DNA sequence: GGAATAGTGTCTTTCAGACAATATCAC
DNA sequence: GTGATATTGTCTGAAAGACACTATTCC
């Protein structure tokens, strides 16, 4: 076995997670309060170092479990982007692979070793510029990716329980995009995409109003035609 | 300054490039023939180790210049994805940040230190499973990203010279998607998106047929409505 | 004129958006 | 019944796709 052709620099590699959920109709992101320097006391994204022999995706799932108490089958995980500007971590040269995770009404997180507290924070109430490291930039990218993918994928169903109504699905779009959508057009739209929603045959039993049909996510991952965000 | 809370593993970090161009109407990708083990003699994506103190994007531009002879202002660069499965490089634990680069009729590359030869290869003629490392997977992801971004961004103009005709732009779509598009509908479509194309006032002087208006790319980065790929 | 390519007009269908009307529950 | 929510229907305008037609060049 030959040596690498150049003498490579040693990097630390971390995983940072932008974990989104929908809790009581509020779009929330998981943030941790750092208990160690640097940025002690500041809010940050959950994450940590990738271990030797560990796949990047596995590291993301491990951090999800350790710092957020979230099991893999509760979320959809997707790579966001990699951030590695020199100096982004003053301790050493660190490259971080950021991931997006989406889940329905995820549980309250528990404190971890590096983390004084972990909490769900409404996305709209976060000031990205106050986050540790470059996590504000990562969060902004994650928010934009999330909003964009609602348009042309079934991502919104990841924010819903396995069985959901069209109104619950619509609320995901409304809260993430920060808009109001016409319930009648939205209903016709999403039920009209073949394979996107599957009728369960059940109906809601709930106070006030006609009971709604309960659906499950279908096998259609991409939405054609897409659900368009108002304003282009 | 405190120590990192855990003892991080040391990683090598590399940059790999999926460089696309359009040469004489053929959609091509830049590949290099490896002159060193592992995978000596196999085709691979150009790339190399990120240096100490070097930003990830700067490393991509440096590799572009060193291995492809491409200057930064000739291409549009965009991060694709990061690949870091253990064992993907037998020499050491290596995480690679893959980038997409797009340019119009890029120059013939020159051989580099690790590279016996570099060459433009028609994308359709590449068998991804024959590439070194996991570069086949990276190429497949790059191809799909490129095809998808034609729909809703001005990416296609990156494959054209600064001044181009609608027919040249249409050819980019046709070759990358592998389809035929109706010239008349395509013309009406792209000239109808405000800010996408800017008339230069010039016309082509060329044998056969009515001269075509010459356009420049406008400042509109996103296409609304998108140019749809035939077949959903 | 004929061949070739550029560009416009017209028709049909699909779909988004506005909103009226109907359905089915709790009370 | 009233109030609330779900679901369907109807209309209008925008735009995609098919394709006839006109425009301007070279030969």
């Amino acid at each position: 076995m030959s040596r690498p052709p150049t003498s490579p620099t040693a990097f630390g590699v971390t995983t940072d997670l932008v974990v989104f959920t929908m809790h009581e109709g509020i779009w929330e992101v998981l943030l941790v309060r750092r208990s160690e320097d640097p940025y002690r006391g500041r809010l940050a994204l959950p994450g940590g170092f990738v271990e030797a022999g560990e796949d990047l995706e596995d590291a993301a799932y491990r951090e999800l479990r350790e710092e957020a108490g979230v099991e893999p089958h509760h979320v959809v995980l997707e790579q966001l982007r990699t951030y590695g500007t020199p100096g982004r971590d003053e301790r050493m040269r660190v490259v971080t692979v950021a991931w997006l995770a989406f889940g329905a009404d995820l549980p309250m997180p528990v404190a971890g070793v590096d983390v004084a507290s972990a909490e769900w924070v409404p996305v709209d109430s976060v000031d990205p510029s106050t986050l540790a490291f470059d996590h504000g930039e990562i969060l902004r990218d994650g928010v934009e990716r999330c909003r964009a993918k609602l348009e042309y994928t079934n991502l919104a169903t990841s924010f819903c329980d396995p069985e959901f109504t069209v109104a619950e699905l619509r609320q995901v779009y409304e809260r993430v995009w920060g808009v109001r959508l016409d319930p009648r057009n939205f209903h016709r739209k999403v039920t009209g995409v073949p394979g996107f929603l599957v009728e369960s045959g059940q109906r809601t039993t709930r106070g006030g109003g006609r009971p709604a049909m309960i659906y499950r996510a279908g096998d259609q991952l991409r939405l054609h035609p897409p659900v368009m965000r108002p304003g282009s």
Side-chain angles (χ1 to χ4, degrees), chain A:
Chain A
M1 193 187 313
S2 71
R3 311 246 328 279
T6 62
S7 180
T9 308
F11 285 74
V13 174
T14 61
T15 281
D16 285 316
L17 291 161
V18 182
V19 190
F20 287 128
T21 195
M22 195 66 60
H23 181 65
E24 293 177 356
I26 308 291
W27 183 37
E28 295 179 335
V29 62
L30 185 65
L31 296 178
V32 298
R33 183 80 62 180
R34 288 184 59 82
S35 59
E36 302 285 337
D37 281 327
Y39 299 102
R40 183 201 298 259
R42 296 276 283 281
L43 285 172
L45 298 173
F49 284 95
V50 177
E51 296 175 356
E54 183 181 41
D55 201 351
L56 299 179
E57 188 169 4
D58 293 337
Y61 278 122
R62 178 175 53 76
E63 294 291 343
L64 260 177
R65 192 183 302 109
E66 290 178 3
E67 298 213 18
V70 173
E71 295 300 316
H73 64 275
H74 285 139
V75 295
V76 170
L77 191 69
E78 160 181 325
Q79 192 177 309
L80 174 61
R81 196 177 199 280
T82 295
Y83 303 81
T85 304
R88 59 175 295 279
D89 187 327
E90 64 186 31
R91 297 168 293 181
M92 61 181 296
R93 183 71 196 275
V94 175
V95 163
T96 194
V97 182
W99 299 77
L100 281 173
F102 312 97
D105 203 9
L106 295 172
M108 281 306 299
V110 296
V113 285
D114 308 344
V115 176
S117 65
E119 50 191 310
W120 292 106
V121 182
V123 174
D124 295 337
S125 72
V126 179
D127 178 358
S129 64
T130 64
L131 298 187
F133 305 105
D134 51 3
H135 290 187
E137 179 188 0
I138 299 173
L139 176 60
R140 269 192 295 260
D141 291 346
V143 166
E144 181 47 36
R145 171 83 67 89
C146 180
R147 285 179 171 151
K149 291 205 75 167
L150 287 190
E151 289 190 338
Y152 57 94
T153 73
N154 69 345
L155 174 62
T157 61
S158 306
F159 285 103
C160 296
D161 288 319
E163 302 205 315
F164 54 87
T165 66
V166 171
E168 287 162 358
L169 187 68
R170 175 169 48 85
Q171 184 178 251
V172 173
Y173 281 88
E174 291 184 333
R175 300 307 168 95
V176 172
W177 284 349
V179 298
R180 301 289 290 178
L181 299 176
D182 185 291
R184 299 160 293 185
N185 291 334
F186 183 85
H187 186 283
R188 187 159 34 79
K189 175 64 184 245
V190 294
T191 55
V193 178
F196 178 38
L197 299 182
V198 178
E199 288 191 12
S200 73
Q202 305 292 105
R203 295 186 158 270
T204 52
T205 60
R206 184 194 21 70
R210 170 176 168 176
M213 179 67 73
I214 295 178
Y215 292 88
R216 280 188 281 273
D219 51 10
Q220 189 66 33
L221 304 182
R222 296 187 75 82
L223 262 46
H224 279 288
V227 180
M228 295 307 288
R229 222 183 314 190
S232 98

